[in-house]
């Protein structure tokens, strides 16, 4: 056989569409070609052989699986890449029906009609299918299918290119999950819930109401502080599971972030929401066991209803949030529905926050000084510095209103530092004017008292203004002192070492531990005005005040009554041995100029 001539059996397999000269060149005795075409024959045969070799290499080395199906959708050819994808060798796959690589759930849905449609398609088609690996795994595969059609237009089968995209699809599925779910608890996230809520709102009506509940765990920070954030995370997961278990089929729960959760309750009125939330709160209150610790959790919940409390998700969520804070103010461990005044209060608070940020820069804050007198002698003992605010935009704002706002927005420590500096500055002016030294009492917020460097900061301020530490008195409420009693003991010892006097303000309104009160380095107790107001008529208030005065005397502490307004109160307190008092009867809070006049009068009285 000449090198340039193909074997007869190979030539016979060549497609009929080859020109007669090519078939003769391949060794077909029934054909002939002119002699002048001999020069082209060798080139055509070489190109044909090269093309077939390239096709064979592509078939064998392709990263894509290549499968040829006959008209009955049985495997006619199966390349090595298909072996790797599905786990079946070529010999095992040949003749198998397409069902052999389909899971049962998919196999049952792939009918003969579907396969006939695929066979009849002229051109290509794409599909993403769940397929079955030989080892039983379900894999995700992309298929690119092309019908095989002969010269007469008859469909002979299908050729498919296939690739395993399981890892890609798993990554995309995971990304979709993360886009919709909270990664820690597995509940939905706020973004997804907002889509669900807007859809539910579009379907809601007066006949199909909708409620949105905002849940906040009470005192969750204490868990993180004492047991660590890992324990806190596990507690959140446990509680999230309980929330999910309490939901109805059409409800939806999401984690807002931190220790906050949101519930979407379609077809739910406020009374029905309240009943559901009572059950939820009871489920959440069951003890949780984390790292050997038993933790009992309570929740504060706010509820807003469509459409009266908001006509879109964001408005409903704000309304539910306001209602939740209303529940917090009412003692926690309860739920509250939204009320219109809450929106006015929230708007006012936002206005106050914005104005408070500008107050210091605009020099809008000032101190008024209320005199404190010894009972019996009526001698001026000192002043309490009281913060006042006259806003350029809002006018005079009561401390009862703006102090809680300053605490909630994180400005109280900065404002408290200003009060301390201003009080010391005024003391320095009085010293320079030659007045007899009298102490000034300044209130400390929890944010200030818990500063680790409080004693050092106050020592620097005293030095900067050249004021004797004995002239500064710091007032703490019971709740501040008892928030972290062991830390309070260290802080009070450091302040006492500087020579600063410390008193407990509003005594009797908190829950002081007498064992800690005995250990605190204190100078006096201030009896709250709520007990003083009715001591003449109310025997219970008289009994409480009498007990405080005796207890203080036994502990070596002085007492001062706040809110003294009538001569009868003055007479009774004096008779009981109360040491000092302040109130409108003795003197209203006044600017520094009027306080200076009291000092001048005191100086005249003693000469």
């Amino acid at each position: 056989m000449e090198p340039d001539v193909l074997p007869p059996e190979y030539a016979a397999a060549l497609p009929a569409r080859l020109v007669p000269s090519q078939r003769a060149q391949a060794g077909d005795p029934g054909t002939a070609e002119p002699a002048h075409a001999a020069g082209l024959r060798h080139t055509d045969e070489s190109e044909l052989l090269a093309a077939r070799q390239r096709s064979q290499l592509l078939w064998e080395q392709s990263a894509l699986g290549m499968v040829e199906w006959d008209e009955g959708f049985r495997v006619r050819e199966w390349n090595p890449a298909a072996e790797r994808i599905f786990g079946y060798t070529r010999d095992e796959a040949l003749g198998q029906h397409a069902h052999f690589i389909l899971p049962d759930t998919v196999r049952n849905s792939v009918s003969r009609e579907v396969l006939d449609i695929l066979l009849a398609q002229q051109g290509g088609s794409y599909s993403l299918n769940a397929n079955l690996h030989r080892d039983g795994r379900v894999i995700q595969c992309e298929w690119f299918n092309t019908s095989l059609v002969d010269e007469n237009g008859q469909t002979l089968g299908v050729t498919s290119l296939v690739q395993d995209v399981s890892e890609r699809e798993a990554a995309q599925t995971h990304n979709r999950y993360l886009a919709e779910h909270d990664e820690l608890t597995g509940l939905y996230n706020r973004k997804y819930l907002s889509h669900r809520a807007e859809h539910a709102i579009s379907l809601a009506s007066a006949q199909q109401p909708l409620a949105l509940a905002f849940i906040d765990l009470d005192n969750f920070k204490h868990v993180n502080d004492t047991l660590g954030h890992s324990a806190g995370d596990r507690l959140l997961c446990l509680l999230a599971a309980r929330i999910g278990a309490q939901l109805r089929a059409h409800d939806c729960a999401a984690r807002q972030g931190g220790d906050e959760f949101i519930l979407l309750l379609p077809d739910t009125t406020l009374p029905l929401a309240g009943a559901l939330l009572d059950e939820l709160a009871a489920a959440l209150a069951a003890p949780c066991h984390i790292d050997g610790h038993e933790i009992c959790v309570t929740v504060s919940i706010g509820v807003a209803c469509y459409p009266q409390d908001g006509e879109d998700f964001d408005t409903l969520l704000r309304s539910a949030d306001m209602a939740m804070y209303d529940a917090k103010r009412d003692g926690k461990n309860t739920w509250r529905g939204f009320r219109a005044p809450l929106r006015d209060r929230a708007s006012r608070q936002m206005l106050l926050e914005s104005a408070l940020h500008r107050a210091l820069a605009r020099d809008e804050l000032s101190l008024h000084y209320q005199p404190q007198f010894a009972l019996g002698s009526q001698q001026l003992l000192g002043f309490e510095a009281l913060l006042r605010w006259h806003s350029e935009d809002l006018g005079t704002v009561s401390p009862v209103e703006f102090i809680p706002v300053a605490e909630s927005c994180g400005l109280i420590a900065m404002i408290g530092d200003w009060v301390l500096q201003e009080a010391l500055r005024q003391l320095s002016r009085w010293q320079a004017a030659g007045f007899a030294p009298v102490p000034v009492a300044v209130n400390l917020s929890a944010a200030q008292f818990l500063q680790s460097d409080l004693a050092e900061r106050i020592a620097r301020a005293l030095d900067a203004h050249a004021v004797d530490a004995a002239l500064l008195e710091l007032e703490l409420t019971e709740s501040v002192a008892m928030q972290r009693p062991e830390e309070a003991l260290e802080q009070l010892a450091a302040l006492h070492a500087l020579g600063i006097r410390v008193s407990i303000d509003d005594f009797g309104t908190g829950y002081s531990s007498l064992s800690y009160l005995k250990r605190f380095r204190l100078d006096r107790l201030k009896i709250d005005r709520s007990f003083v107001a009715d001591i003449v008529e109310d025997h219970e208030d008289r009994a409480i005040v009498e007990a405080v005065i005796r207890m203080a005397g036994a502990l070596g502490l002085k007492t001062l009554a706040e809110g003294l307004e009538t001569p009868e109160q003055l007479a009774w307190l004096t008779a009981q041995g109360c040491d000092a008092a302040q109130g409108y009867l003795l003197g209203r809070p006044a600017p520094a100029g009027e306080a200076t006049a009291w000092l001048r009068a005191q100086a005249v009285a003693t000469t």
Side-chain angles (χ1 to χ4, degrees):
M1 179 181 68
E2 296 180 4
D4 293 339
V5 179
L6 295 177
E9 63 273 17
Y10 186 62
L14 293 178
R17 62 176 176 270
L18 293 180
V19 298
S21 61
Q22 291 173 310
R23 295 184 60 82
Q25 180 182 348
D28 187 343
T31 61
E33 62 179 337
H36 68 268
L40 299 175
R41 185 180 64 180
H42 178 72
T43 300
D44 290 343
E45 291 174 354
S46 297
E47 290 178 354
L48 182 60
L49 284 171
R52 288 182 176 273
Q53 288 172 347
R54 287 195 300 271
S55 297
Q56 185 64 28
L57 291 174
L58 176 62
W59 180 265
E60 293 174 352
Q61 298 179 16
S62 173
L64 295 177
M66 294 183 177
V67 182
E68 185 178 331
W69 312 91
D70 64 17
E71 62 276 13
F73 247 92
R74 290 178 173 79
V75 176
R76 182 182 287 154
E77 272 299 343
W78 185 266
N79 80 337
E83 292 182 346
R84 292 192 298 272
I85 292 172
F86 297 105
Y88 292 97
T89 66
R90 176 177 179 274
D91 290 341
E92 292 171 329
L94 291 179
Q96 292 273 14
H97 190 273
H99 284 167
F100 85 111
I101 54 170
L102 295 178
D104 290 341
T105 53
V106 178
R107 182 185 305 162
N108 297 334
S109 64
V110 178
S111 65
R112 178 67 248 182
E113 293 178 0
V114 174
L115 300 179
D116 287 344
I117 292 172
L118 186 58
L119 285 168
Q121 285 177 337
Q122 300 297 315
S125 68
Y126 163 82
S127 63
L128 177 65
N129 297 330
N131 291 109
L132 192 65
H133 191 276
R134 180 175 183 169
D135 62 12
R137 287 182 294 119
V138 175
I139 57 177
Q140 297 294 318
C141 294
E142 281 184 333
W143 291 84
F144 301 86
N145 306 300
T146 305
S147 298
L148 298 175
V149 183
D150 64 11
E151 302 89 24
N152 301 319
Q154 181 180 356
T155 301
L156 303 177
V158 172
T159 295
S160 299
L161 299 179
V162 58
Q163 63 176 335
D164 183 353
V165 293
S166 299
E167 291 186 4
R168 187 194 73 188
E169 289 298 306
Q172 291 178 350
T173 299
H174 183 63
N175 289 338
R176 286 192 295 270
Y177 178 87
L178 293 180
E180 297 179 352
H181 291 77
D182 171 56
E183 190 171 3
L184 175 65
T185 63
L187 295 179
Y188 289 116
N189 58 28
R190 182 187 182 280
K191 182 178 180 180
Y192 176 80
L193 185 77
S194 69
H195 294 313
R196 284 279 296 267
E198 293 295 354
H199 177 69
I201 287 171
S202 70
L203 300 177
S205 64
Q207 288 72 38
Q208 291 183 310
L210 178 148
L212 195 73
F214 193 104
I215 302 173
D216 184 85
L217 305 186
D218 296 327
N219 304 316
F220 178 73
K221 184 176 182 296
H222 180 66
V223 176
N224 281 338
D225 290 344
T226 55
L227 301 182
H229 287 274
S230 176
D233 286 348
R234 276 175 283 161
L235 178 61
L236 288 173
C237 291
L238 194 157
L239 295 175
R242 291 184 183 179
I243 290 173
Q246 291 294 123
L247 297 182
R248 300 167 301 177
H250 58 294
D251 296 335
C252 182
R255 181 182 176 220
Q256 162 89 346
D259 60 342
E260 297 174 340
F261 301 88
I262 309 170
L263 301 185
L264 176 64
L265 307 172
D267 197 20
T268 303
T269 60
L270 182 61
L272 177 56
L276 295 173
L277 294 173
D278 284 338
E279 294 178 5
L280 174 63
L284 295 178
C288 303
H289 298 277
I290 306 289
D291 293 340
H293 299 273
E294 183 176 278
I295 304 171
C296 294
V297 175
T298 62
V299 292
S300 297
I301 308 173
V303 186
C305 295
Y306 173 87
Q308 61 267 34
D309 301 331
E311 297 185 353
D312 58 65
F313 172 73
D314 288 336
T315 305
L316 281 172
L317 185 59
R318 286 195 300 271
S319 298
D321 191 18
M322 285 183 253
M324 183 274 293
Y325 278 106
D326 198 32
K328 293 276 190 186
R329 284 188 291 268
D330 286 348
K332 305 179 181 180
N333 191 25
T334 188
W335 69 270
R336 289 289 181 268
F338 176 78
R339 297 177 290 111
L342 295 178
R343 183 172 288 120
D344 296 335
R345 181 191 295 172
S347 298
R348 174 69 173 175
Q349 177 161 335
M350 185 178 299
L351 198 63
L352 289 173
E353 285 185 18
S354 179
L356 266 177
H357 277 88
R358 299 189 297 270
L360 286 172
R362 291 180 172 181
D363 197 26
E364 295 176 349
L365 300 179
S366 64
L367 291 184
H368 283 202
Y369 297 86
Q370 185 170 31
Q372 300 171 336
F373 290 93
L375 296 184
S377 68
Q378 300 294 304
Q379 179 184 2
L380 178 66
L381 297 178
F383 296 98
E384 180 180 4
L386 299 170
L387 182 62
R388 296 293 183 263
W389 177 27
H390 184 81
S391 168
E392 179 181 321
D393 303 316
L394 305 174
T396 299
V397 186
S398 167
V400 175
E401 184 179 22
F402 76 78
I403 292 296
V405 174
E407 290 175 336
S408 66
C409 70
L411 288 175
I412 193 64
M414 183 187 303
I415 292 175
D417 287 342
W418 180 88
V419 170
L420 177 65
Q421 295 288 344
E422 182 62 22
L424 293 177
R425 191 177 293 113
Q426 186 58 53
L427 274 170
S428 181
R429 293 190 189 108
W430 285 334
Q431 285 183 164
F435 290 112
V438 293
V440 172
V442 173
N443 290 278
L444 276 186
S445 67
Q448 289 175 282
F449 184 63
L450 295 176
Q451 291 172 334
S452 60
D453 61 344
L454 175 65
E456 291 84 350
R457 293 160 68 96
I458 293 179
R460 289 195 298 269
L462 289 168
D463 289 342
H465 296 285
V467 172
D468 187 347
L471 297 180
L472 178 63
E473 180 178 346
L474 299 178
E475 295 187 1
L476 309 172
T477 63
E478 283 184 273
S479 58
V480 169
M482 294 305 301
Q483 186 172 344
R484 298 179 188 174
E486 292 298 333
E487 292 182 33
L489 285 170
E490 296 180 10
Q491 200 77 289
L492 291 172
L495 294 173
H496 182 78
L498 291 176
I500 296 171
R501 299 195 300 175
V502 180
S503 63
I504 292 293
D505 194 14
D506 301 335
F507 187 78
T509 60
Y511 301 93
S512 290
S513 165
L514 293 181
S515 63
Y516 275 106
L517 188 63
K518 181 178 66 176
R519 297 166 60 193
F520 286 161
R521 306 293 293 270
L522 301 173
D523 294 279
R524 68 178 172 183
L525 303 180
K526 297 186 71 174
I527 303 169
D528 187 68
R529 66 181 63 249
S530 63
F531 300 114
V532 175
D534 296 321
I535 53 174
V536 176
E537 299 85 10
D538 192 315
H539 72 278
E540 291 181 349
D541 283 345
R542 288 199 302 272
I544 291 172
V545 174
E546 208 174 328
V548 171
I549 293 171
R550 291 177 180 174
M551 180 188 67
L555 293 173
L557 305 177
K558 299 292 184 181
T559 52
L560 183 148
E562 297 181 293
L564 186 64
E565 296 183 354
T566 68
E568 291 80 11
Q569 293 169 347
L570 174 61
W572 189 88
L573 288 167
T574 303
Q576 296 303 316
C578 184
D579 298 298
Q582 67 184 78
Y584 286 178
L585 179 67
L586 304 176
R588 291 174 177 268
E594 293 185 31
T596 303
W598 277 316
L599 288 174
R600 189 173 291 113
Q602 173 85 359
V604 172
T606 56
T607 56

